[in-house]
Amino acid sequence: MSNPRPKVLRRPVHGVLLLDKPLGLSSNQALQKAKWLLRAEKAGHTGTLDPLATGVLPLCFGAATKFSQVQLEANKTYEAVLLLGQKTTTADAEGEVIQTRPVPAITPEMLQSLTAQFTGPLAQIPPMYSALKKDGKALYEYARQGQEIEREARHITIFSLEMSVAEDDRADAAIRIIVSCSKGTYIRTLGEDIGEAIGCGAHLGFLRRIETGGFVASQCITLAALEAMSEDQRMDCLLAPQSLVAAFPSVTLDAENSGRFLSGLRRRGTPGQWGPDAALVQVYGTEPNAFLGSAHVTADELIPQRLLSPLEVKNMLTASSEPQADLMH
């Protein structure tokens, strides 16, 4: 009888891995692979990318999972190719074709009109093939059983939209779009809606997330590259947990206030001590220099939101070969 595969010895890992998610894997499959390669105890991702999609997928490990909501709420930018003339069950190339229509001539004037029509605040009905839940069951499960569930329109914002004619062997005509949008936007649905506005139908043939919450594709690493690295090199790829909140103002506390803040206690400051009122600030301590968590500021009071545990702070200081202060700001 063959020997069982040795069990991976998990360890505390704290940080953010900017992954370039490969084609064909779900976000969770990509997460589990990276978690295994890093031998991490705790991990989570920051918003689902379809298996058809590639691109920026920040993965959070350990203490960083406490701040993943910031990325979930973040604006995002995608590049996509719309294949015109065919509508599919899933609104992308993985689905079955359910309608075929002739494609009119795509003119610069038409693209300009479509860009204006689909920029700004929009109401969007989520696709049936999505992970949204109805009565505890994902919509895609209903869809696979042939059921259509009524969905409420969501209010989204398209901040910018670039459109150009593209060539693709899979369709007589195609359009490439680059779209910057608010959270909760379904690019598949946007593509379908653009196809309906043209009058010929459309589905996605390509989708890539090129930016999310300030993280861009050029910063990302592939699973193949990660797999080829040594364990130390993999750890070097991690950004500090505070990178998730780096765009927000920061507050630094003395040793006494640091301890009380980490215990979950509000800190009353002198006027302006913590800066103006803010929905989120990063909080750091001194002696030693360390990231402590996030808070909000209201009427000169620093109110804890998401806190690192003393053990997480200790682990992060121990694991870092650089002075923690260098990672903070």
Side-chain angles (χ1 to χ4, degrees), residues 84 103-116 163-166 173-176 194 198 200:
L84 304 182
V103 181
I106 307 300
T107 64
E109 292 77 22
M110 178 191 286
L111 293 181
Q112 188 174 13
S113 174
L114 288 166
T115 299
M163 306 182 75
S164 59
V165 173
I175 293 174
R176 182 177 301 278
I194 290 172
I198 295 172
C200 61

Coordinates of all heavy atoms in Angstrom, one line a residue, residues 84 103-116 163-166 173-176 194 198 200:
L84 N -20.3 40.2 -30.9 CA -21.6 40.7 -31.3 C -22.3 39.7 -32.1 O -21.7 38.9 -32.8 CB -21.4 42.0 -32.1 CG -20.7 43.2 -31.4 CD1 -20.7 44.4 -32.3 CD2 -21.3 43.5 -30.0
V103 N -25.6 41.7 -37.4 CA -24.9 42.8 -36.7 C -24.8 44.0 -37.7 O -24.4 43.9 -38.8 CB -23.4 42.4 -36.3 CG1 -22.7 43.6 -35.6 CG2 -23.5 41.2 -35.4
P104 N -25.3 45.2 -37.2 CA -25.2 46.4 -38.1 C -23.8 46.9 -38.2 O -22.9 46.4 -37.4 CB -26.1 47.4 -37.4 CG -26.0 47.0 -36.0 CD -25.9 45.5 -35.9
A105 N -23.5 47.8 -39.1 CA -22.2 48.4 -39.2 C -21.9 49.1 -37.9 O -22.7 49.9 -37.4 CB -22.1 49.3 -40.4
I106 N -20.7 48.9 -37.3 CA -20.3 49.6 -36.1 C -19.5 50.8 -36.5 O -18.3 50.7 -37.0 CB -19.4 48.6 -35.2 CG1 -20.2 47.3 -35.0 CG2 -19.1 49.3 -33.9 CD1 -21.5 47.4 -34.3
T107 N -20.1 52.0 -36.3 CA -19.4 53.2 -36.7 C -18.9 54.0 -35.5 O -19.3 53.7 -34.4 CB -20.4 54.1 -37.4 OG1 -21.5 54.5 -36.5 CG2 -21.1 53.4 -38.6
P108 N -17.9 54.9 -35.7 CA -17.4 55.7 -34.6 C -18.6 56.5 -33.9 O -18.6 56.6 -32.7 CB -16.5 56.7 -35.3 CG -16.0 55.9 -36.5 CD -17.2 55.1 -37.0
E109 N -19.6 56.9 -34.7 CA -20.7 57.7 -34.1 C -21.5 56.8 -33.2 O -22.0 57.2 -32.1 CB -21.6 58.2 -35.2 CG -20.9 59.3 -36.1 CD -19.9 58.8 -37.1 OE1 -20.0 57.6 -37.4 OE2 -19.1 59.6 -37.5
M110 N -21.7 55.5 -33.6 CA -22.4 54.6 -32.8 C -21.7 54.3 -31.5 O -22.3 54.3 -30.4 CB -22.6 53.2 -33.5 CG -23.3 52.2 -32.7 SD -23.3 50.5 -33.4 CE -24.5 50.7 -34.7
L111 N -20.4 54.1 -31.5 CA -19.6 53.9 -30.3 C -19.6 55.1 -29.4 O -19.7 54.9 -28.2 CB -18.1 53.5 -30.7 CG -17.9 52.2 -31.4 CD1 -16.4 52.0 -31.7 CD2 -18.5 51.0 -30.7
Q112 N -19.6 56.3 -30.0 CA -19.7 57.5 -29.2 C -21.0 57.6 -28.5 O -21.1 57.9 -27.3 CB -19.4 58.7 -30.1 CG -19.3 60.0 -29.3 CD -18.9 61.2 -30.3 OE1 -19.0 61.0 -31.5 NE2 -18.5 62.3 -29.7
S113 N -22.1 57.2 -29.2 CA -23.4 57.3 -28.6 C -23.5 56.2 -27.5 O -24.1 56.5 -26.4 CB -24.5 57.0 -29.7 OG -25.7 56.9 -29.1
L114 N -23.0 55.0 -27.7 CA -23.1 53.9 -26.7 C -22.3 54.3 -25.5 O -22.7 54.0 -24.3 CB -22.6 52.6 -27.3 CG -23.4 52.0 -28.3 CD1 -22.6 50.9 -29.1 CD2 -24.7 51.4 -27.7
T115 N -21.1 54.9 -25.7 CA -20.3 55.3 -24.5 C -21.0 56.3 -23.6 O -21.0 56.2 -22.4 CB -19.0 56.0 -25.0 OG1 -18.3 55.1 -25.8 CG2 -18.1 56.4 -23.9
A116 N -21.7 57.3 -24.2 CA -22.5 58.2 -23.5 C -23.7 57.5 -22.7 O -24.0 57.8 -21.6 CB -23.0 59.3 -24.4
M163 N -14.5 52.5 -25.8 CA -15.0 51.5 -26.7 C -14.3 51.6 -28.1 O -14.1 52.7 -28.6 CB -16.5 51.6 -26.9 CG -17.3 51.6 -25.7 SD -19.1 51.7 -26.0 CE -19.4 50.0 -26.6
S164 N -13.9 50.5 -28.6 CA -13.2 50.5 -30.0 C -13.6 49.2 -30.7 O -13.9 48.2 -30.0 CB -11.7 50.6 -29.8 OG -11.2 49.6 -29.0
V165 N -13.5 49.2 -32.0 CA -13.8 48.0 -32.8 C -12.6 47.1 -32.6 O -11.5 47.5 -32.6 CB -14.0 48.4 -34.3 CG1 -14.1 47.1 -35.1 CG2 -15.2 49.2 -34.4
A166 N -13.0 45.8 -32.4 CA -11.9 44.7 -32.3 C -12.1 43.7 -33.3 O -13.2 43.5 -33.9 CB -12.0 44.2 -30.9
A173 N -18.2 40.4 -35.7 CA -17.9 41.8 -35.3 C -17.7 41.7 -33.8 O -18.3 40.9 -33.1 CB -19.0 42.8 -35.6
A174 N -16.8 42.6 -33.3 CA -16.5 42.6 -31.8 C -16.1 44.0 -31.4 O -15.7 44.8 -32.2 CB -15.3 41.6 -31.5
I175 N -16.3 44.3 -30.1 CA -16.0 45.6 -29.5 C -15.1 45.3 -28.3 O -15.4 44.5 -27.5 CB -17.3 46.3 -29.1 CG1 -18.1 46.7 -30.4 CG2 -16.9 47.6 -28.3 CD1 -19.4 47.4 -30.0
R176 N -14.0 46.1 -28.2 CA -13.2 46.0 -27.0 C -13.6 47.2 -26.1 O -13.7 48.3 -26.6 CB -11.7 46.1 -27.4 CG -10.8 46.1 -26.1 CD -9.3 46.1 -26.6 NE -9.0 45.0 -27.5 CZ -8.7 43.8 -27.1 NH1 -8.7 43.5 -25.8 NH2 -8.4 42.8 -28.0
I194 N -25.2 46.3 -23.8 CA -24.6 47.1 -24.9 C -25.1 46.3 -26.2 O -25.5 47.0 -27.2 CB -23.1 47.1 -24.8 CG1 -22.7 48.1 -23.7 CG2 -22.5 47.6 -26.2 CD1 -21.2 48.1 -23.4
I198 N -27.3 47.9 -29.3 CA -27.0 47.9 -30.7 C -28.1 47.2 -31.5 O -28.3 47.5 -32.7 CB -25.6 47.1 -30.9 CG1 -24.5 47.9 -30.2 CG2 -25.3 46.9 -32.4 CD1 -23.2 47.2 -30.2
C200 N -28.3 43.6 -31.7 CA -27.8 42.4 -32.3 C -27.5 41.3 -31.2 O -27.2 40.2 -31.5 CB -26.6 42.6 -33.2 SG -25.2 43.3 -32.3

